[in-house]
Amino acid sequence: MLNPRSIWLLAALVPLGWMTRCFWKQTDKRPARLFGALGALFAFSAALAARLHLHGRTGWDGLALCLLAGLLLGSAMGQGFLWLKKGLEKLPKPMAMKPARAFFIALAALLLCWLPVYLACFPGITGYDMGLQSVMIRTGEYTTHHPLAHTLLVGLCMGLGADETLGYAVYTTLQVGALALSIAYAMAYLCRIRTPKAVWMALLALFALSPHHAVMAVSGTKDILFAAGMLGVCVETVRMLTEPERLKSWKIFLLDALLIALTGLMRKNMIYALVLVLLLCLFFAKKLGRRFFAVMLAGAVLCMAVDTTLAKVTHAQKGSVREMLSIPFQQLSRIYDQYGMDEPVSYEVLEVLPNAADYQPDRADFVKWSAKVQPMDRMVRFAKLWVRELFHFPIEYIDAFLYTTKGYWDVSDMSFATTYDMPGYPTGCMVLDQPESYGIRLMSVLPGLRDTLIRWFNLNEYRQFGPLWLLLHPALYTWWMLFLIAWAWQKKSGAALTALGLCAAYFLTLLLGPCALIRYQYSLMLCAPVLTGVLCVHKGAENA
């Protein structure tokens, strides 16, 4: 007799078989190849997630089975992506509103909808890195562990208030305004190119009504200003490549370069992303143009020059190299976690990673702080050990990487919402704590709303809202980005593809980070929806 699981499996085979049949009946092979590859990757990742959930490791046989699942189900998943793309392309009624009016409507809607959260969390949320940054502001002893420009900006704002609390309110007010202006500018541009009205309205509702945007807006973490800048850079990238005459104006050139530099100053990952984009510019020099390459290069050079100058002026100590080695630390620690002292190499692992016993699959912070990788002779020793054991424990290395990054590619994974959850100090998917030790007093005007937000996000009760909880999942936006890349490639939209390339380059740096969190992915939570609006524009509609 069949059990319920078998019945559900057999029932799923019917629509999957129908979707596979529809896929292979496609006459246009270009989109079929692109979305088929995306579908295969999605099915492969789903199989990997199931394998890790059921067995706790992949193994060579598991990887083979997951690859087979990707090949077998890729066409069905690809057809699903194709239907989504075709549905978006057929949306009628492009926006007819004037861009200036759209800008002010979007700005007003955002500020009005975010105001209750701002009042509930006044003067602002001080979670994540604000503790370390506030110590630097008070003592004047800076490090480059966190972006100096952001730390100094927060310190400047705090000095403008009557006390630290009101000074912090000055900073969060500026941040709310910057984020709202960035989104409103993007919405005005979508109106200008006549994106479908349904898409424009849906995006405005997403940004204004989804509470995680309001919570992010009042959180003092560096990622928010970076995300606001990243959205502006993506919109300007599209405009530079579709309206090349704009760069003939030296004012526009300088403003775009300045925007790129300011964005890079908020997160160091942006510099690495810009390097990848500059290499892309060299490869496609004729299509992208010299002026585009020049503005990107000018922004990157200006960013590095300002950052270096700030470090010298403040006498900031260099941040630890450990921050860039989270994945290698996790990989060696997993060897110890899996085999303990039964494996002779574990003695060597403990010599370079004394806290390897504290290994947590989804977060590298527990093992990286004690890593002995400085000075250079220790780094060389660590590197030799890591390379040598790569050939001895390849599966452990693969599994360590998959577990650490799972929140970015598995939509069923909840590590992004629990990785910082500790007894007596729940943080959930987003942090809303207000430590008095920072010298910043909570002055909530709407304490009832703040308590609700704490239940939703610190205690993860947002999951009770059906499929809407997916809007907070970092993995959703990873697949959204990959879907847009396939769509832009199929549509031969070089402008959108270049902007998406910048997002993808930044995303690749996240895969080397210590864990998956919403704040790391927040820039993509802004850029992916807006770039969807860019790709939805009917051919010729922007000139109508």
Side-chain angles (χ1 to χ4, degrees), residues 85 130 170 172 174 200 210 215 271 299 350 367 417 434 436 467 478 517 534:
K85 187 264 299 185
M130 192 49 61
V170 172
T172 53
L174 290 175
W200 196 90
S210 183
V215 171
I271 296 297
L350 288 175
V367 298
Q434 186 78 31
E436 297 295 331
T478 300
L517 293 175
V534 172

Side-chain angles (χ1 to χ4, degrees), residues 44-54 66 406 409-410 412:
F44 174 66
S45 71
L48 275 178
R51 176 75 181 186
L52 291 175
H53 176 71
L54 294 174
C66 292
K406 206 164 181 276
W409 54 268
D410 177 16
S412 66

Side-chain angles (χ1 to χ4, degrees), residues 35-324:
F35 288 97
L38 177 61
L41 182 60
F42 183 80
F44 174 66
S45 71
L48 275 178
R51 176 75 181 186
L52 291 175
H53 176 71
L54 294 174
H55 299 279
R57 68 191 308 271
T58 53
W60 294 117
D61 56 338
L63 290 174
L65 288 173
C66 292
L67 181 60
L68 180 61
L71 294 174
L72 292 176
L73 299 176
S75 53
M77 299 297 102
Q79 183 59 41
F81 286 122
L82 276 170
W83 281 336
L84 176 60
K85 187 264 299 185
K86 291 178 179 178
L88 290 171
E89 287 179 334
K90 291 181 180 179
L91 289 174
K93 296 183 179 179
M95 285 292 293
M97 189 186 304
K98 291 183 178 181
R101 185 181 180 190
F103 173 84
F104 287 109
I105 287 177
L107 183 62
L110 292 168
L111 294 177
L112 183 63
C113 292
W114 293 353
L115 180 60
V117 176
Y118 175 79
L119 295 175
C121 299
F122 189 85
I125 298 169
T126 57
Y128 299 114
D129 302 324
M130 192 49 61
L132 294 173
Q133 289 179 276
S134 64
V135 171
M136 285 189 277
I137 292 169
R138 288 196 186 93
T139 62
E141 297 177 359
Y142 297 95
T143 73
T144 59
H145 178 75
H146 299 291
L148 275 172
H150 181 260
T151 303
L152 293 171
L153 176 60
V154 174
L156 175 63
C157 292
M158 290 176 72
L160 294 176
D163 57 18
E164 290 183 329
T165 299
L166 296 180
Y168 192 67
V170 172
Y171 170 76
T172 53
T173 302
L174 290 175
Q175 179 175 276
V176 169
L179 183 60
L181 285 170
S182 178
I183 295 174
Y185 174 67
M187 297 302 294
Y189 176 68
L190 291 180
C191 188
R192 183 177 182 276
I193 61 175
R194 295 172 62 80
T195 198
K197 186 175 182 179
V199 172
W200 196 90
M201 298 297 292
L203 293 184
L204 182 58
L206 171 64
F207 293 136
L209 299 178
S210 183
H212 74 284
H213 288 294
V215 171
M216 287 284 100
V218 299
S219 177
T221 181
K222 61 202 173 195
D223 305 88
I224 312 309
L225 283 181
F226 167 76
M230 188 69 162
L231 178 59
V233 171
C234 283
V235 172
E236 282 301 293
T237 294
V238 174
R239 295 198 69 181
M240 281 188 280
L241 295 176
T242 56
E243 307 169 44
E245 67 279 358
R246 293 181 76 245
L247 285 180
K248 293 179 181 180
S249 167
W250 65 270
K251 291 182 180 180
I252 298 294
F253 185 99
L254 290 178
L255 286 173
D256 283 345
L258 182 60
L259 175 62
I260 293 167
L262 291 174
T263 303
L265 287 171
M266 292 298 108
R267 264 199 87 83
K268 295 180 180 179
N269 308 51
M270 181 66 171
I271 296 297
Y272 308 130
L274 284 173
V275 170
L276 292 176
V277 171
L278 287 171
L279 292 175
L280 183 69
C281 289
L282 291 175
F283 192 74
F284 296 101
K286 291 184 178 179
K287 291 185 178 181
L288 298 178
R290 294 180 180 178
R291 290 180 181 273
F292 178 75
F293 175 82
V295 73
M296 285 288 179
L297 180 61
V301 171
L302 181 60
C303 176
M304 291 187 287
V306 172
D307 193 50
T308 302
T309 302
L310 290 177
K312 289 183 177 180
V313 170
T314 59
H315 306 288
Q317 296 181 353
K318 288 186 177 181
S320 175
V321 72
R322 297 186 186 98
E323 293 302 310
M324 298 184 291

